[in-house]
Amino acid sequence: MTLWTAVLTASVLCLALKAVGYLLPQGWLDAPRPARIADLLTVALLSALVVVQAVGAGSAIVVDARVPAVVVAAVLLWLRAPFLVVVAAAAATAAVLRAFGWAT
């Protein structure tokens, strides 16, 4: 299977899944459980993406300057810092660590 075949197949499946969503009765979607599941699923997928991008390098796990930068960002988000401050602090953390030789 070529890459384009996989991309087109995934696109058609996503479109079909979206179309099925329009066929569900509105009462099912307004219930508290589906709303809660959708909220938790979004957080879980975003968390998984952050972890994969922070410690993944191909098929290996790599601990480099990205890990402390993500920790700094998490702490600042927990302290309710503005998003631009979080991004700038995480970038500065990674840049300083890489300047001192902690890079892949």
Side-chain angles (χ1 to χ4, degrees):
M1 184 192 293
T2 66
L3 178 63
W4 283 109
T5 305
V7 168
L8 291 174
T9 302
S11 299
V12 168
L13 288 173
C14 286
L15 184 63
L17 184 60
K18 186 172 184 173
V20 168
Y22 285 116
L23 299 175
L24 292 175
Q26 187 65 34
W28 288 8
L29 301 176
D30 291 337
R33 178 176 274 168
R36 182 76 175 143
I37 289 171
D39 289 343
L40 293 175
L41 188 61
T42 303
V43 172
L45 290 173
L46 183 58
S47 300
L49 177 64
V50 168
V51 169
V52 167
Q53 292 297 315
V55 297
S59 61
I61 295 175
V62 177
V63 177
D64 61 2
R66 294 176 292 181
V67 175
V70 169
V71 171
V72 166
V75 168
L76 289 173
L77 285 171
W78 181 65
L79 294 173
R80 307 256 185 216
F83 186 70
L84 289 177
V85 172
V86 172
V87 172
T93 301
V96 167
L97 290 175
R98 287 183 175 155
F100 286 114
W102 194 10
T104 59

